Amino acid sequence: MNSEIIRIGNRSGYDFEVIQLRPTMMRLLTYLVLNVNANNRIVSHDDILTNVWENHDLIATNQRMSYVINQLNDKLSVLGISKQLIMNIHGQGYSLSDISVSILYGYFK
């Protein structure tokens, strides 16, 4: 089951763009938005691996996490979001760039 992210409107008028995210990508993005924005902090690699992969009975590896983050940044760039939205903070974890991201409505299991 895929999830959708929709960009509604832009500076030049009203339009929209839709991208499909696989469940792990959506869990990752949701986890980062909720934990980085709420606490203005860096989320550790271990926290991400545990909450996005292991808690959902998936095999967690740093390589898999890095791959999914790169793919997610690429997909979000279609909506006009910087490819650097999710930033690796060397030796600490991940954070979000200065872009403000919010969840307006969502159902996530």
mmCIF file with all atom_site columns, all heavy atoms in Angstrom, residues 3 22-31 34 51 56 106-109:
data_model
loop_
_atom_site.group_PDB
_atom_site.id
_atom_site.type_symbol
_atom_site.label_atom_id
_atom_site.label_alt_id
_atom_site.label_comp_id
_atom_site.label_asym_id
_atom_site.label_entity_id
_atom_site.label_seq_id
_atom_site.pdbx_PDB_ins_code
_atom_site.Cartn_x
_atom_site.Cartn_y
_atom_site.Cartn_z
_atom_site.occupancy
_atom_site.B_iso_or_equiv
_atom_site.pdbx_formal_charge
_atom_site.auth_seq_id
_atom_site.auth_comp_id
_atom_site.auth_asym_id
_atom_site.auth_atom_id
_atom_site.pdbx_PDB_model_num
ATOM 1   N N   . SER A 1 3   ? 1.380  5.564  -0.024 1.00 0.00 ? 3   SER A N   1
ATOM 2   C CA  . SER A 1 3   ? 0.791  6.786  0.512  1.00 0.00 ? 3   SER A CA  1
ATOM 3   C C   . SER A 1 3   ? 1.047  7.896  -0.485 1.00 0.00 ? 3   SER A C   1
ATOM 4   O O   . SER A 1 3   ? 1.951  7.824  -1.296 1.00 0.00 ? 3   SER A O   1
ATOM 5   C CB  . SER A 1 3   ? 1.450  7.127  1.844  1.00 0.00 ? 3   SER A CB  1
ATOM 6   O OG  . SER A 1 3   ? 1.263  6.085  2.768  1.00 0.00 ? 3   SER A OG  1
ATOM 7   N N   . ARG A 1 22  ? 6.210  4.784  -0.849 1.00 0.00 ? 22  ARG A N   1
ATOM 8   C CA  . ARG A 1 22  ? 6.053  3.449  -0.284 1.00 0.00 ? 22  ARG A CA  1
ATOM 9   C C   . ARG A 1 22  ? 5.915  3.582  1.230  1.00 0.00 ? 22  ARG A C   1
ATOM 10  O O   . ARG A 1 22  ? 6.283  4.610  1.802  1.00 0.00 ? 22  ARG A O   1
ATOM 11  C CB  . ARG A 1 22  ? 7.237  2.585  -0.672 1.00 0.00 ? 22  ARG A CB  1
ATOM 12  C CG  . ARG A 1 22  ? 7.354  2.532  -2.194 1.00 0.00 ? 22  ARG A CG  1
ATOM 13  C CD  . ARG A 1 22  ? 7.866  1.295  -2.806 1.00 0.00 ? 22  ARG A CD  1
ATOM 14  N NE  . ARG A 1 22  ? 7.818  0.117  -2.024 1.00 0.00 ? 22  ARG A NE  1
ATOM 15  C CZ  . ARG A 1 22  ? 7.131  -0.965 -2.370 1.00 0.00 ? 22  ARG A CZ  1
ATOM 16  N NH1 . ARG A 1 22  ? 6.428  -0.970 -3.459 1.00 0.00 ? 22  ARG A NH1 1
ATOM 17  N NH2 . ARG A 1 22  ? 7.165  -2.042 -1.631 1.00 0.00 ? 22  ARG A NH2 1
ATOM 18  N N   . PRO A 1 23  ? 5.362  2.581  1.894  1.00 0.00 ? 23  PRO A N   1
ATOM 19  C CA  . PRO A 1 23  ? 5.104  2.678  3.341  1.00 0.00 ? 23  PRO A CA  1
ATOM 20  C C   . PRO A 1 23  ? 6.321  3.051  4.180  1.00 0.00 ? 23  PRO A C   1
ATOM 21  O O   . PRO A 1 23  ? 6.219  3.885  5.085  1.00 0.00 ? 23  PRO A O   1
ATOM 22  C CB  . PRO A 1 23  ? 4.583  1.289  3.705  1.00 0.00 ? 23  PRO A CB  1
ATOM 23  C CG  . PRO A 1 23  ? 3.959  0.787  2.452  1.00 0.00 ? 23  PRO A CG  1
ATOM 24  C CD  . PRO A 1 23  ? 4.820  1.333  1.339  1.00 0.00 ? 23  PRO A CD  1
ATOM 25  N N   . THR A 1 24  ? 7.476  2.476  3.877  1.00 0.00 ? 24  THR A N   1
ATOM 26  C CA  . THR A 1 24  ? 8.672  2.797  4.677  1.00 0.00 ? 24  THR A CA  1
ATOM 27  C C   . THR A 1 24  ? 9.080  4.245  4.482  1.00 0.00 ? 24  THR A C   1
ATOM 28  O O   . THR A 1 24  ? 9.458  4.924  5.435  1.00 0.00 ? 24  THR A O   1
ATOM 29  C CB  . THR A 1 24  ? 9.827  1.845  4.324  1.00 0.00 ? 24  THR A CB  1
ATOM 30  O OG1 . THR A 1 24  ? 9.407  0.499  4.561  1.00 0.00 ? 24  THR A OG1 1
ATOM 31  C CG2 . THR A 1 24  ? 11.051 2.140  5.168  1.00 0.00 ? 24  THR A CG2 1
ATOM 32  N N   . MET A 1 25  ? 8.983  4.745  3.265  1.00 0.00 ? 25  MET A N   1
ATOM 33  C CA  . MET A 1 25  ? 9.311  6.155  3.010  1.00 0.00 ? 25  MET A CA  1
ATOM 34  C C   . MET A 1 25  ? 8.370  7.071  3.787  1.00 0.00 ? 25  MET A C   1
ATOM 35  O O   . MET A 1 25  ? 8.808  8.066  4.354  1.00 0.00 ? 25  MET A O   1
ATOM 36  C CB  . MET A 1 25  ? 9.204  6.476  1.524  1.00 0.00 ? 25  MET A CB  1
ATOM 37  C CG  . MET A 1 25  ? 10.337 6.022  0.700  1.00 0.00 ? 25  MET A CG  1
ATOM 38  S SD  . MET A 1 25  ? 10.080 6.603  -0.984 1.00 0.00 ? 25  MET A SD  1
ATOM 39  C CE  . MET A 1 25  ? 11.580 6.030  -1.722 1.00 0.00 ? 25  MET A CE  1
ATOM 40  N N   . MET A 1 26  ? 7.090  6.739  3.782  1.00 0.00 ? 26  MET A N   1
ATOM 41  C CA  . MET A 1 26  ? 6.117  7.578  4.486  1.00 0.00 ? 26  MET A CA  1
ATOM 42  C C   . MET A 1 26  ? 6.352  7.524  5.993  1.00 0.00 ? 26  MET A C   1
ATOM 43  O O   . MET A 1 26  ? 6.278  8.554  6.659  1.00 0.00 ? 26  MET A O   1
ATOM 44  C CB  . MET A 1 26  ? 4.699  7.137  4.141  1.00 0.00 ? 26  MET A CB  1
ATOM 45  C CG  . MET A 1 26  ? 3.674  8.107  4.641  1.00 0.00 ? 26  MET A CG  1
ATOM 46  S SD  . MET A 1 26  ? 3.944  9.744  3.896  1.00 0.00 ? 26  MET A SD  1
ATOM 47  C CE  . MET A 1 26  ? 2.366  10.457 4.139  1.00 0.00 ? 26  MET A CE  1
ATOM 48  N N   . ARG A 1 27  ? 6.652  6.342  6.512  1.00 0.00 ? 27  ARG A N   1
ATOM 49  C CA  . ARG A 1 27  ? 6.956  6.224  7.955  1.00 0.00 ? 27  ARG A CA  1
ATOM 50  C C   . ARG A 1 27  ? 8.173  7.064  8.310  1.00 0.00 ? 27  ARG A C   1
ATOM 51  O O   . ARG A 1 27  ? 8.193  7.747  9.324  1.00 0.00 ? 27  ARG A O   1
ATOM 52  C CB  . ARG A 1 27  ? 7.224  4.757  8.316  1.00 0.00 ? 27  ARG A CB  1
ATOM 53  C CG  . ARG A 1 27  ? 6.079  4.052  8.950  1.00 0.00 ? 27  ARG A CG  1
ATOM 54  C CD  . ARG A 1 27  ? 6.460  2.754  9.619  1.00 0.00 ? 27  ARG A CD  1
ATOM 55  N NE  . ARG A 1 27  ? 7.377  1.905  8.879  1.00 0.00 ? 27  ARG A NE  1
ATOM 56  C CZ  . ARG A 1 27  ? 7.022  1.053  7.942  1.00 0.00 ? 27  ARG A CZ  1
ATOM 57  N NH1 . ARG A 1 27  ? 5.764  0.928  7.578  1.00 0.00 ? 27  ARG A NH1 1
ATOM 58  N NH2 . ARG A 1 27  ? 7.927  0.321  7.335  1.00 0.00 ? 27  ARG A NH2 1
ATOM 59  N N   . LEU A 1 28  ? 9.194  7.003  7.468  1.00 0.00 ? 28  LEU A N   1
ATOM 60  C CA  . LEU A 1 28  ? 10.421 7.766  7.708  1.00 0.00 ? 28  LEU A CA  1
ATOM 61  C C   . LEU A 1 28  ? 10.144 9.264  7.696  1.00 0.00 ? 28  LEU A C   1
ATOM 62  O O   . LEU A 1 28  ? 10.538 9.978  8.619  1.00 0.00 ? 28  LEU A O   1
ATOM 63  C CB  . LEU A 1 28  ? 11.467 7.408  6.658  1.00 0.00 ? 28  LEU A CB  1
ATOM 64  C CG  . LEU A 1 28  ? 12.753 8.224  6.674  1.00 0.00 ? 28  LEU A CG  1
ATOM 65  C CD1 . LEU A 1 28  ? 13.497 8.024  7.987  1.00 0.00 ? 28  LEU A CD1 1
ATOM 66  C CD2 . LEU A 1 28  ? 13.632 7.852  5.510  1.00 0.00 ? 28  LEU A CD2 1
ATOM 67  N N   . LEU A 1 29  ? 9.456  9.740  6.675  1.00 0.00 ? 29  LEU A N   1
ATOM 68  C CA  . LEU A 1 29  ? 9.162  11.169 6.587  1.00 0.00 ? 29  LEU A CA  1
ATOM 69  C C   . LEU A 1 29  ? 8.309  11.622 7.769  1.00 0.00 ? 29  LEU A C   1
ATOM 70  O O   . LEU A 1 29  ? 8.598  12.643 8.397  1.00 0.00 ? 29  LEU A O   1
ATOM 71  C CB  . LEU A 1 29  ? 8.454  11.488 5.265  1.00 0.00 ? 29  LEU A CB  1
ATOM 72  C CG  . LEU A 1 29  ? 8.096  12.955 5.055  1.00 0.00 ? 29  LEU A CG  1
ATOM 73  C CD1 . LEU A 1 29  ? 9.338  13.835 5.068  1.00 0.00 ? 29  LEU A CD1 1
ATOM 74  C CD2 . LEU A 1 29  ? 7.329  13.110 3.739  1.00 0.00 ? 29  LEU A CD2 1
ATOM 75  N N   . THR A 1 30  ? 7.280  10.855 8.093  1.00 0.00 ? 30  THR A N   1
ATOM 76  C CA  . THR A 1 30  ? 6.410  11.202 9.217  1.00 0.00 ? 30  THR A CA  1
ATOM 77  C C   . THR A 1 30  ? 7.190  11.225 10.520 1.00 0.00 ? 30  THR A C   1
ATOM 78  O O   . THR A 1 30  ? 7.058  12.152 11.319 1.00 0.00 ? 30  THR A O   1
ATOM 79  C CB  . THR A 1 30  ? 5.236  10.205 9.308  1.00 0.00 ? 30  THR A CB  1
ATOM 80  O OG1 . THR A 1 30  ? 4.526  10.222 8.083  1.00 0.00 ? 30  THR A OG1 1
ATOM 81  C CG2 . THR A 1 30  ? 4.296  10.569 10.438 1.00 0.00 ? 30  THR A CG2 1
ATOM 82  N N   . TYR A 1 31  ? 8.014  10.218 10.733 1.00 0.00 ? 31  TYR A N   1
ATOM 83  C CA  . TYR A 1 31  ? 8.808  10.152 11.963 1.00 0.00 ? 31  TYR A CA  1
ATOM 84  C C   . TYR A 1 31  ? 9.736  11.360 12.090 1.00 0.00 ? 31  TYR A C   1
ATOM 85  O O   . TYR A 1 31  ? 9.824  11.986 13.148 1.00 0.00 ? 31  TYR A O   1
ATOM 86  C CB  . TYR A 1 31  ? 9.613  8.844  12.020 1.00 0.00 ? 31  TYR A CB  1
ATOM 87  C CG  . TYR A 1 31  ? 10.330 8.675  13.321 1.00 0.00 ? 31  TYR A CG  1
ATOM 88  C CD1 . TYR A 1 31  ? 9.638  8.289  14.471 1.00 0.00 ? 31  TYR A CD1 1
ATOM 89  C CD2 . TYR A 1 31  ? 11.694 8.922  13.433 1.00 0.00 ? 31  TYR A CD2 1
ATOM 90  C CE1 . TYR A 1 31  ? 10.287 8.159  15.682 1.00 0.00 ? 31  TYR A CE1 1
ATOM 91  C CE2 . TYR A 1 31  ? 12.344 8.795  14.637 1.00 0.00 ? 31  TYR A CE2 1
ATOM 92  C CZ  . TYR A 1 31  ? 11.642 8.409  15.759 1.00 0.00 ? 31  TYR A CZ  1
ATOM 93  O OH  . TYR A 1 31  ? 12.284 8.287  16.968 1.00 0.00 ? 31  TYR A OH  1
ATOM 94  N N   . LEU A 1 34  ? 7.667  14.679 12.711 1.00 0.00 ? 34  LEU A N   1
ATOM 95  C CA  . LEU A 1 34  ? 7.131  14.753 14.072 1.00 0.00 ? 34  LEU A CA  1
ATOM 96  C C   . LEU A 1 34  ? 8.216  14.924 15.125 1.00 0.00 ? 34  LEU A C   1
ATOM 97  O O   . LEU A 1 34  ? 8.020  15.623 16.109 1.00 0.00 ? 34  LEU A O   1
ATOM 98  C CB  . LEU A 1 34  ? 6.305  13.503 14.386 1.00 0.00 ? 34  LEU A CB  1
ATOM 99  C CG  . LEU A 1 34  ? 5.007  13.367 13.595 1.00 0.00 ? 34  LEU A CG  1
ATOM 100 C CD1 . LEU A 1 34  ? 4.344  12.031 13.906 1.00 0.00 ? 34  LEU A CD1 1
ATOM 101 C CD2 . LEU A 1 34  ? 4.066  14.521 13.888 1.00 0.00 ? 34  LEU A CD2 1
ATOM 102 N N   . ASN A 1 51  ? 12.453 2.837  15.063 1.00 0.00 ? 51  ASN A N   1
ATOM 103 C CA  . ASN A 1 51  ? 11.065 3.271  14.902 1.00 0.00 ? 51  ASN A CA  1
ATOM 104 C C   . ASN A 1 51  ? 10.508 3.123  13.491 1.00 0.00 ? 51  ASN A C   1
ATOM 105 O O   . ASN A 1 51  ? 9.300  2.980  13.322 1.00 0.00 ? 51  ASN A O   1
ATOM 106 C CB  . ASN A 1 51  ? 10.906 4.713  15.376 1.00 0.00 ? 51  ASN A CB  1
ATOM 107 C CG  . ASN A 1 51  ? 11.031 4.802  16.872 1.00 0.00 ? 51  ASN A CG  1
ATOM 108 O OD1 . ASN A 1 51  ? 10.156 4.358  17.596 1.00 0.00 ? 51  ASN A OD1 1
ATOM 109 N ND2 . ASN A 1 51  ? 12.149 5.339  17.339 1.00 0.00 ? 51  ASN A ND2 1
ATOM 110 N N   . HIS A 1 56  ? 8.456  -2.366 12.928 1.00 0.00 ? 56  HIS A N   1
ATOM 111 C CA  . HIS A 1 56  ? 7.520  -2.828 11.906 1.00 0.00 ? 56  HIS A CA  1
ATOM 112 C C   . HIS A 1 56  ? 7.981  -4.153 11.306 1.00 0.00 ? 56  HIS A C   1
ATOM 113 O O   . HIS A 1 56  ? 7.630  -4.496 10.170 1.00 0.00 ? 56  HIS A O   1
ATOM 114 C CB  . HIS A 1 56  ? 7.346  -1.749 10.830 1.00 0.00 ? 56  HIS A CB  1
ATOM 115 C CG  . HIS A 1 56  ? 6.777  -0.492 11.386 1.00 0.00 ? 56  HIS A CG  1
ATOM 116 N ND1 . HIS A 1 56  ? 5.420  -0.292 11.534 1.00 0.00 ? 56  HIS A ND1 1
ATOM 117 C CD2 . HIS A 1 56  ? 7.380  0.604  11.908 1.00 0.00 ? 56  HIS A CD2 1
ATOM 118 C CE1 . HIS A 1 56  ? 5.216  0.882  12.099 1.00 0.00 ? 56  HIS A CE1 1
ATOM 119 N NE2 . HIS A 1 56  ? 6.385  1.448  12.338 1.00 0.00 ? 56  HIS A NE2 1
ATOM 120 N N   . GLY A 1 106 ? -3.531 13.176 8.033  1.00 0.00 ? 106 GLY A N   1
ATOM 121 C CA  . GLY A 1 106 ? -2.958 11.887 7.691  1.00 0.00 ? 106 GLY A CA  1
ATOM 122 C C   . GLY A 1 106 ? -3.496 10.779 8.553  1.00 0.00 ? 106 GLY A C   1
ATOM 123 O O   . GLY A 1 106 ? -3.901 11.002 9.691  1.00 0.00 ? 106 GLY A O   1
ATOM 124 N N   . TYR A 1 107 ? -3.526 9.635  7.991  1.00 0.00 ? 107 TYR A N   1
ATOM 125 C CA  . TYR A 1 107 ? -3.840 8.425  8.719  1.00 0.00 ? 107 TYR A CA  1
ATOM 126 C C   . TYR A 1 107 ? -2.656 7.526  8.516  1.00 0.00 ? 107 TYR A C   1
ATOM 127 O O   . TYR A 1 107 ? -2.285 7.215  7.400  1.00 0.00 ? 107 TYR A O   1
ATOM 128 C CB  . TYR A 1 107 ? -5.103 7.765  8.192  1.00 0.00 ? 107 TYR A CB  1
ATOM 129 C CG  . TYR A 1 107 ? -5.335 6.411  8.819  1.00 0.00 ? 107 TYR A CG  1
ATOM 130 C CD1 . TYR A 1 107 ? -5.829 6.302  10.098 1.00 0.00 ? 107 TYR A CD1 1
ATOM 131 C CD2 . TYR A 1 107 ? -5.022 5.253  8.115  1.00 0.00 ? 107 TYR A CD2 1
ATOM 132 C CE1 . TYR A 1 107 ? -6.028 5.076  10.680 1.00 0.00 ? 107 TYR A CE1 1
ATOM 133 C CE2 . TYR A 1 107 ? -5.217 4.012  8.689  1.00 0.00 ? 107 TYR A CE2 1
ATOM 134 C CZ  . TYR A 1 107 ? -5.711 3.919  9.971  1.00 0.00 ? 107 TYR A CZ  1
ATOM 135 O OH  . TYR A 1 107 ? -5.900 2.700  10.555 1.00 0.00 ? 107 TYR A OH  1
ATOM 136 N N   . PHE A 1 108 ? -2.037 7.158  9.593  1.00 0.00 ? 108 PHE A N   1
ATOM 137 C CA  . PHE A 1 108 ? -0.830 6.367  9.481  1.00 0.00 ? 108 PHE A CA  1
ATOM 138 C C   . PHE A 1 108 ? -0.912 5.235  10.466 1.00 0.00 ? 108 PHE A C   1
ATOM 139 O O   . PHE A 1 108 ? -1.191 5.445  11.648 1.00 0.00 ? 108 PHE A O   1
ATOM 140 C CB  . PHE A 1 108 ? 0.383  7.249  9.758  1.00 0.00 ? 108 PHE A CB  1
ATOM 141 C CG  . PHE A 1 108 ? 1.662  6.612  9.359  1.00 0.00 ? 108 PHE A CG  1
ATOM 142 C CD1 . PHE A 1 108 ? 1.965  6.446  8.030  1.00 0.00 ? 108 PHE A CD1 1
ATOM 143 C CD2 . PHE A 1 108 ? 2.541  6.149  10.304 1.00 0.00 ? 108 PHE A CD2 1
ATOM 144 C CE1 . PHE A 1 108 ? 3.146  5.843  7.645  1.00 0.00 ? 108 PHE A CE1 1
ATOM 145 C CE2 . PHE A 1 108 ? 3.713  5.550  9.938  1.00 0.00 ? 108 PHE A CE2 1
ATOM 146 C CZ  . PHE A 1 108 ? 4.016  5.399  8.602  1.00 0.00 ? 108 PHE A CZ  1
ATOM 147 N N   . LYS A 1 109 ? -0.688 4.052  10.006 1.00 0.00 ? 109 LYS A N   1
ATOM 148 C CA  . LYS A 1 109 ? -0.802 2.869  10.852 1.00 0.00 ? 109 LYS A CA  1
ATOM 149 C C   . LYS A 1 109 ? 0.551  2.321  11.179 1.00 0.00 ? 109 LYS A C   1
ATOM 150 O O   . LYS A 1 109 ? 1.431  2.277  10.411 1.00 0.00 ? 109 LYS A O   1
ATOM 151 C CB  . LYS A 1 109 ? -1.629 1.825  10.126 1.00 0.00 ? 109 LYS A CB  1
ATOM 152 C CG  . LYS A 1 109 ? -2.036 0.672  10.973 1.00 0.00 ? 109 LYS A CG  1
ATOM 153 C CD  . LYS A 1 109 ? -3.005 -0.192 10.206 1.00 0.00 ? 109 LYS A CD  1
ATOM 154 C CE  . LYS A 1 109 ? -3.485 -1.322 11.047 1.00 0.00 ? 109 LYS A CE  1
ATOM 155 N NZ  . LYS A 1 109 ? -4.345 -2.220 10.332 1.00 0.00 ? 109 LYS A NZ  1
#
